[in-house]
Amino acid sequence: MDDIRKLKALQLDALREVANIGAGHAATALSQMTGHTIMISVPQINIAALEDIPNQVGADEEPVAAVLMKILGDLTGLALLIFPQATALRVAGLMMKRESVATLGEIEQSALREAGNILSAAYLNALSEFMGMILLPSPPTLAIDMSDAVMSSTFVEMARGAEYVFCVETEFHLKELNESLRGFFLLMPDIGSLTAMLRAIRVG
Protein backbone atom coordinates (compact mmCIF):
# COMPACT_ATOMS: atom_id res chain seq x y z
CA MET A 1 0.00 0.00 0.00
CA ASP A 2 3.03 2.28 -0.21
CA ASP A 3 1.69 3.78 -3.43
CA ILE A 4 -1.47 5.20 -1.87
CA ARG A 5 0.13 8.58 -1.23
CA LYS A 6 1.41 8.67 -4.82
CA LEU A 7 -2.01 8.87 -6.43
CA LYS A 8 -2.00 11.12 -9.46
CA ALA A 9 -3.58 14.55 -9.23
CA LEU A 10 -6.24 13.32 -11.67
CA GLN A 11 -7.20 10.51 -9.32
CA LEU A 12 -7.44 12.81 -6.31
CA ASP A 13 -9.50 15.22 -8.41
CA ALA A 14 -11.87 12.37 -9.21
CA LEU A 15 -12.28 11.63 -5.50
CA ARG A 16 -12.78 15.31 -4.75
CA GLU A 17 -15.51 15.50 -7.38
CA VAL A 18 -17.23 12.50 -5.81
CA ALA A 19 -17.00 14.24 -2.43
CA ASN A 20 -18.45 17.43 -3.92
CA ILE A 21 -21.43 15.46 -5.25
CA GLY A 22 -22.01 14.07 -1.75
CA ALA A 23 -21.59 17.55 -0.27
CA GLY A 24 -24.28 18.86 -2.59
CA HIS A 25 -26.76 16.23 -1.44
CA ALA A 26 -25.90 16.91 2.21
CA ALA A 27 -26.29 20.66 1.71
CA THR A 28 -29.81 20.20 0.37
CA ALA A 29 -30.82 18.01 3.31
CA LEU A 30 -29.26 20.29 5.93
CA SER A 31 -30.79 23.40 4.35
CA GLN A 32 -34.24 21.85 4.55
CA MET A 33 -33.75 20.80 8.17
CA THR A 34 -32.29 24.10 9.43
CA GLY A 35 -34.28 26.58 7.35
CA HIS A 36 -31.00 28.23 6.23
CA THR A 37 -29.37 28.04 2.84
CA ILE A 38 -26.24 26.00 3.47
CA MET A 39 -23.68 25.45 0.74
CA ILE A 40 -21.02 22.79 1.28
CA SER A 41 -17.78 22.60 -0.69
CA VAL A 42 -14.70 20.39 -0.65
CA PRO A 43 -11.67 22.64 -1.13
CA GLN A 44 -9.25 19.76 -0.85
CA ILE A 45 -8.84 16.06 -0.28
CA ASN A 46 -5.61 14.41 0.76
CA ILE A 47 -4.27 11.12 2.02
CA ALA A 48 -2.50 11.13 5.36
CA ALA A 49 -0.87 8.57 7.60
CA LEU A 50 -3.02 7.74 10.59
CA GLU A 51 -0.63 9.30 13.09
CA ASP A 52 -0.66 12.62 11.18
CA ILE A 53 -4.43 13.11 11.36
CA PRO A 54 -4.61 15.09 14.64
CA ASN A 55 -2.36 17.71 13.04
CA GLN A 56 -4.64 17.84 10.00
CA VAL A 57 -7.79 18.65 11.94
CA GLY A 58 -6.48 21.07 14.56
CA ALA A 59 -4.09 21.71 17.39
CA ASP A 60 -3.43 18.75 19.70
CA GLU A 61 -5.38 20.32 22.53
CA GLU A 62 -8.26 21.73 20.50
CA PRO A 63 -11.62 20.30 21.59
CA VAL A 64 -13.51 18.61 18.77
CA ALA A 65 -16.76 16.74 18.30
CA ALA A 66 -16.37 13.56 16.27
CA VAL A 67 -19.23 11.58 14.74
CA LEU A 68 -18.08 8.01 14.14
CA MET A 69 -19.66 5.34 11.95
CA LYS A 70 -18.63 1.86 10.92
CA ILE A 71 -18.87 1.17 7.20
CA LEU A 72 -20.49 -2.11 6.22
CA GLY A 73 -21.34 -3.69 2.89
CA ASP A 74 -19.03 -4.28 -0.08
CA LEU A 75 -16.40 -2.08 1.57
CA THR A 76 -15.67 -2.02 5.28
CA GLY A 77 -13.86 0.40 7.55
CA LEU A 78 -14.59 3.55 9.48
CA ALA A 79 -15.91 7.02 8.68
CA LEU A 80 -15.37 9.94 11.02
CA LEU A 81 -16.75 13.46 10.74
CA ILE A 82 -14.82 15.93 12.89
CA PHE A 83 -16.10 19.38 13.87
CA PRO A 84 -13.80 21.83 15.66
CA GLN A 85 -15.50 23.13 18.80
CA ALA A 86 -16.76 26.40 17.27
CA THR A 87 -18.20 24.56 14.27
CA ALA A 88 -19.81 21.92 16.49
CA LEU A 89 -21.61 24.57 18.56
CA ARG A 90 -22.77 26.40 15.43
CA VAL A 91 -23.99 23.27 13.66
CA ALA A 92 -25.85 22.10 16.78
CA GLY A 93 -27.53 25.50 17.03
CA LEU A 94 -28.54 25.44 13.37
CA MET A 95 -29.98 21.95 13.68
CA MET A 96 -31.99 23.06 16.71
CA LYS A 97 -33.03 26.31 14.97
CA ARG A 98 -31.48 28.40 17.71
CA GLU A 99 -29.45 31.59 17.40
CA SER A 100 -26.57 29.98 19.26
CA VAL A 101 -25.69 27.32 21.83
CA ALA A 102 -22.99 27.63 24.48
CA THR A 103 -22.51 24.01 25.48
CA LEU A 104 -22.93 20.55 23.97
CA GLY A 105 -25.50 18.99 26.27
CA GLU A 106 -27.52 15.88 25.53
CA ILE A 107 -29.93 17.58 23.10
CA GLU A 108 -27.11 19.38 21.28
CA GLN A 109 -25.17 16.14 20.97
CA SER A 110 -28.20 14.44 19.46
CA ALA A 111 -28.46 17.28 16.91
CA LEU A 112 -24.77 16.87 16.05
CA ARG A 113 -25.16 13.12 15.57
CA GLU A 114 -28.01 13.78 13.16
CA ALA A 115 -25.96 16.34 11.20
CA GLY A 116 -23.02 13.94 11.09
CA ASN A 117 -25.29 11.13 9.97
CA ILE A 118 -26.62 13.22 7.07
CA LEU A 119 -23.18 14.37 5.94
CA SER A 120 -21.44 11.01 6.25
CA ALA A 121 -24.27 9.13 4.55
CA ALA A 122 -24.24 11.64 1.66
CA TYR A 123 -20.48 11.21 1.15
CA LEU A 124 -20.73 7.42 1.36
CA ASN A 125 -23.68 7.31 -1.06
CA ALA A 126 -21.73 9.35 -3.61
CA LEU A 127 -18.72 7.04 -3.23
CA SER A 128 -21.00 4.02 -3.49
CA GLU A 129 -22.42 5.23 -6.81
CA PHE A 130 -18.96 6.09 -8.14
CA MET A 131 -17.56 2.64 -7.32
CA GLY A 132 -20.69 0.63 -8.05
CA MET A 133 -20.56 -0.91 -4.59
CA ILE A 134 -22.83 -0.99 -1.58
CA LEU A 135 -21.67 1.07 1.42
CA LEU A 136 -23.84 1.01 4.52
CA PRO A 137 -23.12 3.30 7.49
CA SER A 138 -23.86 2.11 11.01
CA PRO A 139 -25.81 4.33 13.44
CA PRO A 140 -23.57 7.22 14.50
CA THR A 141 -21.82 7.59 17.83
CA LEU A 142 -20.38 10.86 19.15
CA ALA A 143 -17.13 11.56 20.98
CA ILE A 144 -16.20 14.97 22.40
CA ASP A 145 -12.62 15.45 23.55
CA MET A 146 -9.30 16.99 22.54
CA SER A 147 -8.42 16.14 18.94
CA ASP A 148 -5.45 13.94 19.80
CA ALA A 149 -7.45 12.05 22.45
CA VAL A 150 -10.37 11.45 20.06
CA MET A 151 -8.06 10.14 17.36
CA SER A 152 -6.05 7.87 19.64
CA SER A 153 -8.90 6.38 21.65
CA THR A 154 -12.07 6.22 19.59
CA PHE A 155 -10.58 6.01 16.13
CA VAL A 156 -7.28 4.19 16.29
CA GLU A 157 -8.59 1.50 18.62
CA MET A 158 -11.08 0.45 15.95
CA ALA A 159 -8.76 0.88 12.96
CA ARG A 160 -7.71 -2.78 12.87
CA GLY A 161 -4.33 -2.20 11.28
CA ALA A 162 -5.32 0.46 8.74
CA GLU A 163 -2.52 2.95 8.11
CA TYR A 164 -3.92 5.60 5.80
CA VAL A 165 -6.86 7.96 5.92
CA PHE A 166 -8.65 9.87 3.18
CA CYS A 167 -9.09 13.35 4.68
CA VAL A 168 -11.82 15.44 3.04
CA GLU A 169 -11.73 19.08 4.11
CA THR A 170 -15.30 20.35 4.21
CA GLU A 171 -16.46 23.97 4.20
CA PHE A 172 -19.96 25.06 5.19
CA HIS A 173 -21.16 28.40 3.80
CA LEU A 174 -24.21 29.93 5.48
CA LYS A 175 -25.44 32.17 2.70
CA GLU A 176 -27.88 34.45 4.53
CA LEU A 177 -25.56 34.86 7.50
CA ASN A 178 -22.43 35.40 5.38
CA GLU A 179 -20.61 32.90 7.58
CA SER A 180 -18.25 30.00 6.87
CA LEU A 181 -17.48 26.95 8.99
CA ARG A 182 -15.19 24.01 8.46
CA GLY A 183 -15.03 20.35 9.33
CA PHE A 184 -13.28 17.18 8.19
CA PHE A 185 -14.65 13.92 6.84
CA LEU A 186 -12.20 11.06 7.38
CA LEU A 187 -12.57 7.77 5.55
CA MET A 188 -10.51 4.84 6.79
CA PRO A 189 -11.05 1.70 4.71
CA ASP A 190 -9.60 -1.57 5.95
CA ILE A 191 -6.80 -3.13 3.92
CA GLY A 192 -9.02 -5.16 1.57
CA SER A 193 -11.37 -2.26 0.95
CA LEU A 194 -8.46 0.11 0.37
CA THR A 195 -7.20 -2.18 -2.40
CA ALA A 196 -10.65 -2.15 -4.02
CA MET A 197 -10.84 1.66 -3.78
CA LEU A 198 -7.43 2.07 -5.38
CA ARG A 199 -8.52 -0.14 -8.28
CA ALA A 200 -11.72 1.89 -8.71
CA ILE A 201 -9.94 5.25 -8.91
CA ARG A 202 -7.24 4.30 -11.41
CA VAL A 203 -8.67 6.87 -13.78
CA GLY A 204 -5.50 7.78 -15.64
Side-chain angles (χ1 to χ4, degrees), residues 46-79:
N46 61 58
I47 297 166
L50 183 59
E51 62 268 19
D52 294 337
I53 286 298
N55 296 327
Q56 297 263 342
V57 302
D60 287 350
E61 293 305 310
E62 179 185 7
V64 299
V67 181
L68 172 70
M69 297 182 192
K70 292 180 182 178
I71 304 170
L72 309 169
D74 292 335
L75 297 184
T76 53
L78 295 173

Short mmCIF file of all heavy atoms in Angstrom, two decimals, residues 46-79:
data_model
loop_
_atom_site.label_atom_id
_atom_site.label_comp_id
_atom_site.label_asym_id
_atom_site.label_seq_id
_atom_site.Cartn_x
_atom_site.Cartn_y
_atom_site.Cartn_z
N ASN A 46 -6.97 14.95 0.77
CA ASN A 46 -5.61 14.41 0.76
C ASN A 46 -5.58 13.08 1.49
O ASN A 46 -6.56 12.66 2.12
CB ASN A 46 -4.61 15.41 1.36
CG ASN A 46 -4.92 15.74 2.79
OD1 ASN A 46 -4.98 14.87 3.65
ND2 ASN A 46 -5.12 17.02 3.08
N ILE A 47 -4.46 12.41 1.38
CA ILE A 47 -4.27 11.12 2.02
C ILE A 47 -3.17 11.29 3.04
O ILE A 47 -2.09 11.79 2.73
CB ILE A 47 -3.89 10.04 0.98
CG1 ILE A 47 -5.05 9.87 -0.01
CG2 ILE A 47 -3.58 8.73 1.67
CD1 ILE A 47 -4.67 9.10 -1.24
N ALA A 48 -3.45 10.92 4.27
CA ALA A 48 -2.50 11.13 5.36
C ALA A 48 -2.28 9.82 6.11
O ALA A 48 -3.16 8.95 6.15
CB ALA A 48 -3.01 12.20 6.31
N ALA A 49 -1.11 9.69 6.69
CA ALA A 49 -0.87 8.57 7.60
C ALA A 49 -1.71 8.77 8.86
O ALA A 49 -1.99 9.90 9.27
CB ALA A 49 0.61 8.51 7.96
N LEU A 50 -2.11 7.68 9.45
CA LEU A 50 -3.02 7.74 10.59
C LEU A 50 -2.49 8.63 11.71
O LEU A 50 -3.21 9.44 12.28
CB LEU A 50 -3.23 6.32 11.12
CG LEU A 50 -4.21 6.15 12.28
CD1 LEU A 50 -5.58 6.66 11.90
CD2 LEU A 50 -4.27 4.69 12.69
N GLU A 51 -1.18 8.53 11.98
CA GLU A 51 -0.63 9.30 13.09
C GLU A 51 -0.57 10.80 12.81
O GLU A 51 -0.42 11.61 13.73
CB GLU A 51 0.78 8.80 13.45
CG GLU A 51 1.81 8.92 12.35
CD GLU A 51 1.91 7.67 11.49
OE1 GLU A 51 0.95 6.85 11.50
OE2 GLU A 51 2.93 7.51 10.81
N ASP A 52 -0.71 11.19 11.53
CA ASP A 52 -0.66 12.62 11.18
C ASP A 52 -2.02 13.31 11.27
O ASP A 52 -2.10 14.53 11.18
CB ASP A 52 -0.12 12.81 9.75
CG ASP A 52 1.34 12.39 9.64
OD1 ASP A 52 2.02 12.39 10.68
OD2 ASP A 52 1.77 12.06 8.52
N ILE A 53 -3.09 12.54 11.44
CA ILE A 53 -4.43 13.11 11.36
C ILE A 53 -4.71 14.18 12.42
O ILE A 53 -5.29 15.23 12.10
CB ILE A 53 -5.49 11.99 11.42
CG1 ILE A 53 -5.52 11.26 10.09
CG2 ILE A 53 -6.87 12.55 11.71
CD1 ILE A 53 -5.90 12.13 8.90
N PRO A 54 -4.32 14.00 13.69
CA PRO A 54 -4.61 15.09 14.64
C PRO A 54 -4.07 16.44 14.18
O PRO A 54 -4.70 17.47 14.41
CB PRO A 54 -3.93 14.60 15.93
CG PRO A 54 -3.97 13.12 15.83
CD PRO A 54 -3.73 12.83 14.36
N ASN A 55 -2.91 16.45 13.54
CA ASN A 55 -2.36 17.71 13.04
C ASN A 55 -3.16 18.27 11.87
O ASN A 55 -3.14 19.47 11.62
CB ASN A 55 -0.90 17.51 12.61
CG ASN A 55 -0.01 17.13 13.78
OD1 ASN A 55 -0.24 17.57 14.90
ND2 ASN A 55 0.99 16.31 13.53
N GLN A 56 -3.84 17.40 11.14
CA GLN A 56 -4.64 17.84 10.00
C GLN A 56 -5.89 18.58 10.46
O GLN A 56 -6.33 19.53 9.82
CB GLN A 56 -5.08 16.62 9.16
CG GLN A 56 -3.94 15.85 8.54
CD GLN A 56 -3.67 16.25 7.10
OE1 GLN A 56 -4.52 16.86 6.47
NE2 GLN A 56 -2.51 15.91 6.62
N VAL A 57 -6.47 18.13 11.56
CA VAL A 57 -7.79 18.65 11.94
C VAL A 57 -7.74 19.73 13.01
O VAL A 57 -8.75 20.33 13.33
CB VAL A 57 -8.71 17.50 12.41
CG1 VAL A 57 -8.87 16.47 11.31
CG2 VAL A 57 -8.18 16.85 13.68
N GLY A 58 -6.57 20.00 13.58
CA GLY A 58 -6.48 21.07 14.56
C GLY A 58 -5.33 20.86 15.52
O GLY A 58 -4.61 19.86 15.46
N ALA A 59 -5.14 21.81 16.39
CA ALA A 59 -4.09 21.71 17.39
C ALA A 59 -4.36 20.52 18.31
O ALA A 59 -5.50 20.12 18.52
CB ALA A 59 -4.01 23.01 18.20
N ASP A 60 -3.29 19.95 18.86
CA ASP A 60 -3.43 18.75 19.70
C ASP A 60 -4.45 18.93 20.81
O ASP A 60 -5.16 18.01 21.17
CB ASP A 60 -2.07 18.39 20.31
CG ASP A 60 -1.11 17.80 19.28
OD1 ASP A 60 -1.57 17.50 18.17
OD2 ASP A 60 0.08 17.65 19.59
N GLU A 61 -4.50 20.10 21.38
CA GLU A 61 -5.38 20.32 22.53
C GLU A 61 -6.64 21.09 22.17
O GLU A 61 -7.25 21.71 23.03
CB GLU A 61 -4.60 21.06 23.63
CG GLU A 61 -3.48 20.23 24.23
CD GLU A 61 -3.97 18.88 24.77
OE1 GLU A 61 -4.94 18.88 25.53
OE2 GLU A 61 -3.39 17.86 24.41
N GLU A 62 -7.02 21.06 20.91
CA GLU A 62 -8.26 21.73 20.50
C GLU A 62 -9.44 20.78 20.68
O GLU A 62 -9.43 19.67 20.14
CB GLU A 62 -8.18 22.14 19.02
CG GLU A 62 -9.47 22.82 18.55
CD GLU A 62 -9.45 23.13 17.06
OE1 GLU A 62 -8.51 22.71 16.38
OE2 GLU A 62 -10.39 23.79 16.60
N PRO A 63 -10.45 21.19 21.45
CA PRO A 63 -11.62 20.30 21.59
C PRO A 63 -12.33 20.12 20.25
O PRO A 63 -12.46 21.06 19.47
CB PRO A 63 -12.52 21.05 22.59
CG PRO A 63 -11.63 22.06 23.24
CD PRO A 63 -10.60 22.42 22.22
N VAL A 64 -12.77 18.90 19.99
CA VAL A 64 -13.51 18.61 18.77
C VAL A 64 -14.69 17.71 19.12
O VAL A 64 -14.72 17.06 20.17
CB VAL A 64 -12.63 17.90 17.71
CG1 VAL A 64 -11.46 18.78 17.27
CG2 VAL A 64 -12.13 16.55 18.22
N ALA A 65 -15.67 17.70 18.23
CA ALA A 65 -16.76 16.74 18.30
C ALA A 65 -16.63 15.82 17.10
O ALA A 65 -16.51 16.30 15.96
CB ALA A 65 -18.12 17.45 18.29
N ALA A 66 -16.60 14.52 17.34
CA ALA A 66 -16.37 13.56 16.27
C ALA A 66 -17.54 12.58 16.18
O ALA A 66 -17.89 11.93 17.16
CB ALA A 66 -15.08 12.80 16.52
N VAL A 67 -18.15 12.52 15.00
CA VAL A 67 -19.23 11.58 14.74
C VAL A 67 -18.64 10.37 14.02
O VAL A 67 -18.07 10.51 12.94
CB VAL A 67 -20.34 12.22 13.88
CG1 VAL A 67 -21.47 11.23 13.64
CG2 VAL A 67 -20.88 13.48 14.55
N LEU A 68 -18.74 9.22 14.64
CA LEU A 68 -18.08 8.01 14.14
C LEU A 68 -19.11 7.00 13.65
O LEU A 68 -20.13 6.78 14.28
CB LEU A 68 -17.27 7.38 15.29
CG LEU A 68 -16.65 6.00 15.03
CD1 LEU A 68 -15.51 6.12 14.02
CD2 LEU A 68 -16.14 5.39 16.33
N MET A 69 -18.81 6.41 12.49
CA MET A 69 -19.66 5.34 11.95
C MET A 69 -18.79 4.22 11.42
O MET A 69 -17.73 4.46 10.84
CB MET A 69 -20.51 5.85 10.78
CG MET A 69 -21.48 6.91 11.11
SD MET A 69 -22.41 7.33 9.62
CE MET A 69 -23.20 8.83 10.17
N LYS A 70 -19.24 3.00 11.61
CA LYS A 70 -18.63 1.86 10.92
C LYS A 70 -19.21 1.79 9.51
O LYS A 70 -20.38 2.13 9.30
CB LYS A 70 -18.93 0.56 11.66
CG LYS A 70 -18.26 0.45 13.02
CD LYS A 70 -18.61 -0.88 13.66
CE LYS A 70 -17.99 -1.00 15.05
NZ LYS A 70 -18.36 -2.27 15.71
N ILE A 71 -18.41 1.37 8.56
CA ILE A 71 -18.87 1.17 7.20
C ILE A 71 -19.02 -0.33 6.97
O ILE A 71 -18.09 -1.10 7.21
CB ILE A 71 -17.88 1.75 6.17
CG1 ILE A 71 -17.62 3.24 6.45
CG2 ILE A 71 -18.40 1.57 4.74
CD1 ILE A 71 -16.48 3.81 5.64
N LEU A 72 -20.18 -0.72 6.50
CA LEU A 72 -20.49 -2.11 6.22
C LEU A 72 -20.87 -2.25 4.75
O LEU A 72 -21.07 -1.27 4.06
CB LEU A 72 -21.63 -2.60 7.13
CG LEU A 72 -21.44 -2.32 8.63
CD1 LEU A 72 -22.73 -2.59 9.38
CD2 LEU A 72 -20.30 -3.13 9.20
N GLY A 73 -20.96 -3.48 4.28
CA GLY A 73 -21.34 -3.69 2.89
C GLY A 73 -20.18 -4.21 2.07
O GLY A 73 -19.35 -5.00 2.56
N ASP A 74 -20.09 -3.81 0.80
CA ASP A 74 -19.03 -4.28 -0.08
C ASP A 74 -17.66 -3.78 0.37
O ASP A 74 -16.64 -4.43 0.11
CB ASP A 74 -19.28 -3.83 -1.52
CG ASP A 74 -20.50 -4.52 -2.12
OD1 ASP A 74 -20.85 -5.62 -1.66
OD2 ASP A 74 -21.11 -3.95 -3.05
N LEU A 75 -17.62 -2.60 0.98
CA LEU A 75 -16.40 -2.08 1.57
C LEU A 75 -16.61 -1.95 3.07
O LEU A 75 -17.72 -1.66 3.52
CB LEU A 75 -16.04 -0.70 0.99
CG LEU A 75 -15.73 -0.61 -0.50
CD1 LEU A 75 -15.32 0.81 -0.86
CD2 LEU A 75 -14.65 -1.59 -0.89
N THR A 76 -15.56 -2.14 3.83
CA THR A 76 -15.67 -2.02 5.28
C THR A 76 -14.56 -1.11 5.80
O THR A 76 -13.51 -0.96 5.19
CB THR A 76 -15.59 -3.39 5.96
OG1 THR A 76 -14.41 -4.07 5.52
CG2 THR A 76 -16.81 -4.24 5.63
N GLY A 77 -14.82 -0.51 6.95
CA GLY A 77 -13.86 0.40 7.55
C GLY A 77 -14.57 1.35 8.49
O GLY A 77 -15.62 1.02 9.06
N LEU A 78 -14.03 2.55 8.60
CA LEU A 78 -14.59 3.55 9.48
C LEU A 78 -14.74 4.88 8.75
O LEU A 78 -13.96 5.20 7.86
CB LEU A 78 -13.67 3.77 10.70
CG LEU A 78 -13.49 2.62 11.67
CD1 LEU A 78 -12.43 2.97 12.70
CD2 LEU A 78 -14.81 2.28 12.36
N ALA A 79 -15.75 5.64 9.15
CA ALA A 79 -15.91 7.02 8.68
C ALA A 79 -16.03 7.90 9.92
O ALA A 79 -16.69 7.53 10.90
CB ALA A 79 -17.16 7.15 7.82
#
